Amino acid sequence: MIYIKDDFLTPEEFKSIEDMMLSENFPWFYNDYRTYKDDNDLQFVHCFYNNGMAQTREFNVLLPLIKKIDIKSIVKIKANMTLKGTRCTELLHTDVPFECNTGIFYINDNNGKTKFEDGFEADSKKNRYISFNSQLKHTGTIHTDTKRRIVLNFNYF
């Protein structure tokens, strides 16, 4: 089952996250792949939480979102940014090799989608949150109408 909720955060809560992530000063890190090390794609990432601890000082801005999702234990929180028209092989994958919850929070509107193995597609709509079992294979798609597509990806219990 895929849970989808639009306008997930209040406008004020969303604006603080949106302003941070769309800022020219937000630290993005080049990743030479999107899904698998040899997929010939690229993206920019920002890891907020991994290995049992916050990885960045910007982590605290996400606390209202973490509270609203009702996360009991974080596995990983990472932001992904893809660029307009960048090659995308749309490789179905799972984020982690064990069962937990996966969530995607969309930072901006664009014509990219999140596709699932069963054919279901979720549009990229800002302030939309979707969640599903971590073992449900999914993939992001190419977008062509904005310069960048930004999502927050959560793995949690």
Side-chain angles (χ1 to χ4, degrees), residues 8 28 43 59 79 85 103 120 127 131 135:
F8 190 69
W28 289 103
Q43 68 180 352
F59 174 77
F120 180 78
N127 200 11
S131 65
Q135 297 309 290

Side-chain angles (χ1 to χ4, degrees), residues 30-48:
Y30 176 77
N31 214 13
D32 201 30
Y33 62 93
R34 286 187 53 185
T35 307
Y36 302 104
K37 294 226 185 252
D38 60 353
D39 65 15
N40 292 317
D41 286 334
L42 66 91
Q43 68 180 352
F44 293 86
V45 299
H46 182 98
C47 186
F48 286 93

Side-chain angles (χ1 to χ4, degrees), residues 15-137:
K15 184 166 177 27
S16 66
I17 295 172
E18 178 186 43
D19 287 350
M20 173 185 69
M21 297 193 70
L22 296 180
S23 166
E24 292 179 2
N25 298 315
F26 186 75
W28 289 103
F29 301 91
Y30 176 77
N31 214 13
D32 201 30
Y33 62 93
R34 286 187 53 185
T35 307
Y36 302 104
K37 294 226 185 252
D38 60 353
D39 65 15
N40 292 317
D41 286 334
L42 66 91
Q43 68 180 352
F44 293 86
V45 299
H46 182 98
C47 186
F48 286 93
Y49 191 97
N50 198 18
N51 297 320
M53 63 165 61
Q55 301 291 309
T56 179
R57 61 188 168 101
E58 290 88 358
F59 174 77
N60 289 339
V61 177
L62 300 183
L63 291 177
L65 182 55
I66 291 166
K67 183 178 179 181
K68 178 85 182 239
I69 295 171
D70 195 26
I71 293 175
K72 305 295 186 231
S73 178
I74 302 169
V75 175
K76 186 174 184 179
I77 301 174
K78 177 179 82 139
N80 298 326
M81 178 176 66
T82 55
L83 304 178
K84 178 181 181 179
T86 304
R87 183 178 175 277
C88 177
T89 52
E90 296 185 17
L91 297 171
L92 289 167
H93 66 280
T94 59
D95 295 342
V96 292
F98 51 86
E99 191 167 326
C100 63
N101 298 301
T102 294
I104 300 173
F105 185 71
Y106 299 92
I107 302 301
N108 65 324
D109 291 331
N110 58 77
N111 64 359
K113 299 181 183 306
T114 302
K115 286 185 179 179
F116 293 87
E117 189 171 32
D118 67 0
F120 180 78
E121 297 180 352
D123 293 331
S124 296
K125 182 178 176 186
K126 73 179 184 176
N127 200 11
R128 168 179 279 176
Y129 177 72
I130 67 172
S131 65
F132 47 94
N133 182 292
S134 65
Q135 297 309 290
L136 184 59
K137 290 186 176 183

